[in-house]
Amino acid sequence: MSDAVVRVLVADDQKVVREGIVMLLGLLPGIEVVGAAGDGEEAVALAAAQLPDVVLMDLRMPRCDGVEATRRIRAAHPATEVVVLTTYADDDSLFPALQAGARGYLTKDAGAEEIARAINDVRAGAAGLSPQIQRRLLERFAAPSAPSAPSASPAPSGAAAADPAPALPAAVAPTLPDGLTAREAEVLGLIADGLSNAEIAARLFVSMATVKTHINNLFAKTGVRDRAQAVGYAYRHGLSHG
């Protein structure tokens, strides 16, 4: 196993960063870079063409973000593992990526040894998580869940998974329609409750840009064109909190 070369695809929208990662990986023994993508759509296409063992995936990319690209690659090519390599370690980045099927998650301050370890770990069937991410997972899942789960709440389906720590990979996805993540379902429910983007950002302790990203993603997945249609969708699928 140690003699096997791991074929890696790199996806990052920043050219300097992408080329730097490719150069770094080229210096590591046992790793062969088979392609480099500048956005999620290109990553999906190159994954289909090259069938890499591992995709090293950025999250914030144009056309198709890293979470959606991960979901599509993992669905089409289950033997290809994904390691996220991103600047962001917040819950809004971490949990959707894991739910989409990523087996590794590193921040861009990771060194060459840590990146190589994560690539080899996921290739061997283990998780490739940085110590920082491991701590975050432990903190989140060790937190008491009682305050956020009113047992009499009428919200069925995905609503119960929105406030506590989102379940890892397959636990949430089957209960939510159209591939919505737990956070997207939560944002949709808050839209149905009449909250503005600013109010949603304040409620979830995230930035306005993050809220807009969630809304764009959920609009694309559900096929709704405006907030009025989103409200109707939320009520039809039991995602409203009201």
Side-chain angles (χ1 to χ4, degrees):
M1 176 74 72
S2 60
D3 295 331
V5 173
V6 183
R7 303 172 71 254
V8 178
L9 170 66
V10 175
D12 196 296
D13 65 320
Q14 294 184 324
K15 183 178 180 181
V16 173
V17 174
R18 183 171 67 250
E19 292 179 347
I21 294 170
V22 169
M23 185 178 300
L24 173 66
L25 294 178
L27 299 174
L28 299 177
I31 293 177
E32 176 190 359
V33 178
V34 297
D39 58 52
E41 287 289 352
E42 190 178 4
V44 172
L46 283 175
Q50 298 294 336
L51 298 178
D53 298 314
V54 177
V55 179
L56 205 55
M57 182 80 74
D58 188 22
L59 289 183
R60 306 288 199 270
M61 294 187 292
R63 294 207 297 163
C64 171
D65 66 21
V67 170
E68 181 59 25
T70 296
R71 183 179 295 112
R72 289 165 59 182
I73 289 170
R74 294 286 294 141
H77 314 289
T80 296
E81 302 292 354
V82 176
V83 174
V84 170
L85 182 63
T86 180
T87 306
Y88 307 94
D90 58 285
D91 288 358
D92 287 329
S93 302
L94 170 61
F95 289 104
L98 296 180
Q99 290 164 358
R103 290 283 290 271
Y105 198 106
L106 303 173
T107 53
K108 286 183 177 175
D109 57 357
E113 183 179 343
E114 190 173 357
I115 294 172
R117 184 186 307 118
I119 289 172
N120 286 301
D121 282 348
V122 299
R123 181 61 179 142
L129 304 173
S130 70
Q132 174 190 5
I133 297 303
Q134 292 180 38
R135 284 195 301 272
R136 185 70 199 103
L137 288 172
L138 288 172
E139 289 167 1
R140 187 71 186 266
F141 285 95
S145 59
S148 58
S151 58
S153 170
S157 215
D163 198 37
L168 291 178
V172 173
T175 68
L176 296 174
D178 294 317
L180 291 175
T181 66
R183 182 64 95 183
E184 289 163 358
E186 185 175 21
V187 169
L188 181 56
L190 294 174
I191 291 174
D193 291 346
L195 274 66
S196 67
N197 287 4
E199 290 169 331
I200 293 172
R203 176 76 64 88
L204 300 180
F205 302 101
V206 298
S207 69
M208 285 276 286
T210 296
V211 172
K212 289 177 182 177
T213 296
H214 287 315
I215 291 175
N216 288 338
N217 288 343
L218 71 89
F219 273 33
K221 291 179 182 180
T222 61
V224 303
R225 294 188 298 274
D226 53 41
R227 294 177 88 92
Q229 290 186 357
V231 170
Y233 180 97
Y235 276 95
R236 286 195 306 274
H237 291 84
L239 300 177
S240 164
H241 303 139

